Amino acid sequence: MPRSMILDVFGKRMLVELNEGTWRAYLIGSDGKRSLVDLAIPESMSEAELVQYIDDIYHEAATTRHPAVVRLA
């Protein structure tokens, strides 16, 4: 069974799933549709490390309103 989390990535919602040892990331549009993100996430990465990893990758998108990646669910 896949494990997943929803993140606020500097104002954009992202679903990240671990399924059969492989992480996949999807942007969630305002209509709820998912778009696969071309993002390499090491298989060994834990959920606890994932938020900081994505923050490090996308940090240039930070704003005063959205200064960090935040786990929503």
Side-chain angles (χ1 to χ4, degrees):
M1 179 168 197
R3 294 189 334 239
S4 65
M5 65 176 74
I6 297 177
L7 306 173
D8 178 313
V9 180
F10 304 110
K12 295 184 180 181
R13 288 189 316 149
M14 181 182 286
L15 169 69
V16 183
E17 292 182 324
L18 178 63
N19 192 2
E20 296 181 10
T22 301
W23 286 105
R24 290 211 171 95
Y26 303 89
L27 283 178
I28 303 172
S30 59
D31 58 1
K33 291 184 180 178
R34 303 182 324 175
S35 304
L36 185 62
V37 176
D38 185 19
L39 177 61
I41 302 172
E43 292 177 9
S44 63
M45 184 151 300
S46 70
E47 287 183 36
E49 297 169 312
L50 191 59
V51 173
Q52 185 61 50
Y53 178 77
I54 291 176
D55 190 290
D56 291 344
I57 290 173
Y58 290 102
H59 71 273
E60 292 177 356
T63 64
T64 54
R65 187 172 180 191
H66 300 284
V69 173
V70 177
R71 184 174 181 168
L72 301 175

